[in-house]
Amino acid sequence: MGYLYIAMNYSLSFSMDKAMKKQQTGFVQYMAQGSLVKQILVGLILGILLAWLAPSAAKSVELLGTLFVGALKAVAPVLVWILVMSSIANHKIGQKSNIRPILVLYLLGTFCAAVVAVIGSLLFPSTLALVTSDTHVLPPSNIIEVLRGLLINIVANPIDAILKGNYVGILAWSIGLGIALRHANESTKALIQDLSGAVTQLVRVVIRLAPIGIFGLVSSTIATTGFETLFGYAHLLTVLIGCMIVVALVINPLIVFWKIRRNPYPLVFACLRESGVTAFFTRSSAANIPVNMAMCRRMKLNEDTYSVSIPLGATINMAGAAVTITVLTLAAVNTLGIPVDIPQAIFLSVVSVIAACGASGVAGGSLLLIPLACSMFGISNEIAMQVVAVGFIIGVLQDSAETGLNSSTDVLFTAAACQAEESRTVADRLAQR
């Protein structure tokens, strides 16, 4: 009887251990493959509840947010360096692609989006709750100082640039190495591309930890500063999405009208409905490429054109990213009391365009390039990465709206360029008769 009792007890214990391991495996699998949007939302709500019900306990979980920000600080410089270098090195020399008009539209649209973000941020300035002891930030007094600091950062030692988060220096060295490596062996290019994929995978791992980091950041921040911080986040999110709406419904239609010379809104609404809505929920321009190509096929556009322009647009057509980078950078600038004049605002728009075109394909990739824009105002990397963390807090809606704008604009500008070319061809044929 005693042996039977022991056997039953052992069997019960084994079953419980197996069930617990299964639950733990399920939890890990959910954290690794579950919806990041839902996880961030849960972390946000739990952080708010903890700060409301137990402020002292909320302050004690600040370490989670600190570790998350530290991981972002560690991976962001390497990400920028590897991705830009790999992109340039693996570009095919002499590759023919009749997409120059579309490329012009991509860059023009991204620059106009950055300008809209500058105007929106100046009209409705936002502030952030940043934890910093650096109360004596010395901003550049004019554009000459900005350019001088830019040149000094460009020629910085590349290793030192990575260690100190000098993103201007990182960008300069990655571009130079990428151009030099364009003539390298195919095996070398393949190695660099594999390295880029490995770094991107590490970034995905860090970003999968965002719900836990956001839980720590939100709970500790609200417990320290009060619930007024949430209103600041709401204001910042309103400015961001408001600028994206202006770009989608005003700027893009004007650019398309300039190209096709007729009412652009039927095409604009079709792209937003069929491409933008899907991209809003997938939160990935790359994942939305098949949707965009299918839409181009239904519109009977030139396959040789859209088969190149749509994947290219998922990489460099980043109007939403330009808005995000500009608005969050100017929010940090406004928080620190740094004055911004018109030349600096224009220069920021150019930097935002460059940074947006280099944004990685992972969710929240544009946020990791905010330090590049912040560096031109003398903002330290520590403060800039706190701004990145704020971006992840509002990223549930920000990243969805950004991706929807980016992806729908890929189809919109491709269709506009193709239709303009068709109209020009028809006009030439009529003129020859």
PDB file of all heavy atoms in Angstrom, residues 402-414:
ATOM      1  N   GLU A 402       2.033  54.582 -39.242  1.00  0.00           N
ATOM      2  CA  GLU A 402       3.227  54.821 -40.062  1.00  0.00           C
ATOM      3  C   GLU A 402       3.329  53.815 -41.196  1.00  0.00           C
ATOM      4  O   GLU A 402       3.567  54.188 -42.358  1.00  0.00           O
ATOM      5  CB  GLU A 402       4.469  54.735 -39.175  1.00  0.00           C
ATOM      6  CG  GLU A 402       5.785  54.860 -39.922  1.00  0.00           C
ATOM      7  CD  GLU A 402       6.976  54.676 -39.005  1.00  0.00           C
ATOM      8  OE1 GLU A 402       6.995  55.287 -37.925  1.00  0.00           O
ATOM      9  OE2 GLU A 402       7.894  53.897 -39.373  1.00  0.00           O
ATOM     10  N   THR A 403       3.129  52.537 -40.891  1.00  0.00           N
ATOM     11  CA  THR A 403       3.230  51.495 -41.910  1.00  0.00           C
ATOM     12  C   THR A 403       2.117  51.622 -42.937  1.00  0.00           C
ATOM     13  O   THR A 403       2.343  51.427 -44.140  1.00  0.00           O
ATOM     14  CB  THR A 403       3.179  50.098 -41.260  1.00  0.00           C
ATOM     15  OG1 THR A 403       4.154  50.029 -40.222  1.00  0.00           O
ATOM     16  CG2 THR A 403       3.451  49.021 -42.278  1.00  0.00           C
ATOM     17  N   GLY A 404       0.903  51.947 -42.485  1.00  0.00           N
ATOM     18  CA  GLY A 404      -0.197  52.145 -43.414  1.00  0.00           C
ATOM     19  C   GLY A 404       0.081  53.261 -44.406  1.00  0.00           C
ATOM     20  O   GLY A 404      -0.191  53.136 -45.612  1.00  0.00           O
ATOM     21  N   LEU A 405       0.647  54.378 -43.925  1.00  0.00           N
ATOM     22  CA  LEU A 405       0.996  55.486 -44.813  1.00  0.00           C
ATOM     23  C   LEU A 405       2.111  55.082 -45.770  1.00  0.00           C
ATOM     24  O   LEU A 405       2.029  55.331 -46.981  1.00  0.00           O
ATOM     25  CB  LEU A 405       1.424  56.698 -43.975  1.00  0.00           C
ATOM     26  CG  LEU A 405       1.949  57.918 -44.754  1.00  0.00           C
ATOM     27  CD1 LEU A 405       0.886  58.444 -45.705  1.00  0.00           C
ATOM     28  CD2 LEU A 405       2.403  59.010 -43.799  1.00  0.00           C
ATOM     29  N   ASN A 406       3.160  54.458 -45.237  1.00  0.00           N
ATOM     30  CA  ASN A 406       4.290  54.063 -46.083  1.00  0.00           C
ATOM     31  C   ASN A 406       3.862  53.124 -47.207  1.00  0.00           C
ATOM     32  O   ASN A 406       4.185  53.333 -48.379  1.00  0.00           O
ATOM     33  CB  ASN A 406       5.363  53.372 -45.243  1.00  0.00           C
ATOM     34  CG  ASN A 406       6.062  54.319 -44.287  1.00  0.00           C
ATOM     35  OD1 ASN A 406       6.037  55.531 -44.464  1.00  0.00           O
ATOM     36  ND2 ASN A 406       6.699  53.768 -43.270  1.00  0.00           N
ATOM     37  N   SER A 407       3.138  52.068 -46.850  1.00  0.00           N
ATOM     38  CA  SER A 407       2.808  51.027 -47.819  1.00  0.00           C
ATOM     39  C   SER A 407       1.811  51.521 -48.867  1.00  0.00           C
ATOM     40  O   SER A 407       1.959  51.219 -50.058  1.00  0.00           O
ATOM     41  CB  SER A 407       2.242  49.804 -47.091  1.00  0.00           C
ATOM     42  OG  SER A 407       2.100  48.730 -47.973  1.00  0.00           O
ATOM     43  N   SER A 408       0.802  52.269 -48.451  1.00  0.00           N
ATOM     44  CA  SER A 408      -0.173  52.771 -49.424  1.00  0.00           C
ATOM     45  C   SER A 408       0.470  53.752 -50.386  1.00  0.00           C
ATOM     46  O   SER A 408       0.090  53.828 -51.569  1.00  0.00           O
ATOM     47  CB  SER A 408      -1.349  53.431 -48.696  1.00  0.00           C
ATOM     48  OG  SER A 408      -0.924  54.564 -47.949  1.00  0.00           O
ATOM     49  N   THR A 409       1.464  54.496 -49.917  1.00  0.00           N
ATOM     50  CA  THR A 409       2.150  55.452 -50.787  1.00  0.00           C
ATOM     51  C   THR A 409       3.002  54.738 -51.834  1.00  0.00           C
ATOM     52  O   THR A 409       3.208  55.272 -52.930  1.00  0.00           O
ATOM     53  CB  THR A 409       3.029  56.401 -49.953  1.00  0.00           C
ATOM     54  OG1 THR A 409       2.228  56.982 -48.918  1.00  0.00           O
ATOM     55  CG2 THR A 409       3.572  57.533 -50.800  1.00  0.00           C
ATOM     56  N   ASP A 410       3.508  53.533 -51.523  1.00  0.00           N
ATOM     57  CA  ASP A 410       4.250  52.759 -52.515  1.00  0.00           C
ATOM     58  C   ASP A 410       3.403  52.532 -53.765  1.00  0.00           C
ATOM     59  O   ASP A 410       3.838  52.765 -54.895  1.00  0.00           O
ATOM     60  CB  ASP A 410       4.669  51.404 -51.937  1.00  0.00           C
ATOM     61  CG  ASP A 410       5.656  51.535 -50.791  1.00  0.00           C
ATOM     62  OD1 ASP A 410       6.241  52.622 -50.630  1.00  0.00           O
ATOM     63  OD2 ASP A 410       5.837  50.545 -50.049  1.00  0.00           O
ATOM     64  N   VAL A 411       2.169  52.060 -53.565  1.00  0.00           N
ATOM     65  CA  VAL A 411       1.267  51.809 -54.692  1.00  0.00           C
ATOM     66  C   VAL A 411       0.848  53.113 -55.347  1.00  0.00           C
ATOM     67  O   VAL A 411       0.784  53.219 -56.576  1.00  0.00           O
ATOM     68  CB  VAL A 411       0.015  51.042 -54.216  1.00  0.00           C
ATOM     69  CG1 VAL A 411      -0.852  50.661 -55.397  1.00  0.00           C
ATOM     70  CG2 VAL A 411       0.406  49.811 -53.450  1.00  0.00           C
ATOM     71  N   LEU A 412       0.568  54.110 -54.525  1.00  0.00           N
ATOM     72  CA  LEU A 412       0.069  55.386 -55.041  1.00  0.00           C
ATOM     73  C   LEU A 412       1.065  56.023 -56.009  1.00  0.00           C
ATOM     74  O   LEU A 412       0.698  56.413 -57.134  1.00  0.00           O
ATOM     75  CB  LEU A 412      -0.201  56.333 -53.866  1.00  0.00           C
ATOM     76  CG  LEU A 412      -0.685  57.740 -54.220  1.00  0.00           C
ATOM     77  CD1 LEU A 412      -2.042  57.671 -54.900  1.00  0.00           C
ATOM     78  CD2 LEU A 412      -0.748  58.621 -52.981  1.00  0.00           C
ATOM     79  N   PHE A 413       2.321  56.132 -55.607  1.00  0.00           N
ATOM     80  CA  PHE A 413       3.318  56.784 -56.455  1.00  0.00           C
ATOM     81  C   PHE A 413       3.682  55.920 -57.659  1.00  0.00           C
ATOM     82  O   PHE A 413       3.968  56.438 -58.741  1.00  0.00           O
ATOM     83  CB  PHE A 413       4.557  57.122 -55.640  1.00  0.00           C
ATOM     84  CG  PHE A 413       4.370  58.289 -54.699  1.00  0.00           C
ATOM     85  CD1 PHE A 413       5.274  58.531 -53.665  1.00  0.00           C
ATOM     86  CD2 PHE A 413       3.296  59.145 -54.830  1.00  0.00           C
ATOM     87  CE1 PHE A 413       5.110  59.600 -52.804  1.00  0.00           C
ATOM     88  CE2 PHE A 413       3.111  60.210 -53.971  1.00  0.00           C
ATOM     89  CZ  PHE A 413       4.022  60.443 -52.952  1.00  0.00           C
ATOM     90  N   THR A 414       3.683  54.595 -57.488  1.00  0.00           N
ATOM     91  CA  THR A 414       3.927  53.706 -58.635  1.00  0.00           C
ATOM     92  C   THR A 414       2.820  53.869 -59.681  1.00  0.00           C
ATOM     93  O   THR A 414       3.097  54.001 -60.883  1.00  0.00           O
ATOM     94  CB  THR A 414       4.001  52.242 -58.171  1.00  0.00           C
ATOM     95  OG1 THR A 414       5.122  52.088 -57.295  1.00  0.00           O
ATOM     96  CG2 THR A 414       4.156  51.301 -59.350  1.00  0.00           C
TER      97      THR A 414
END
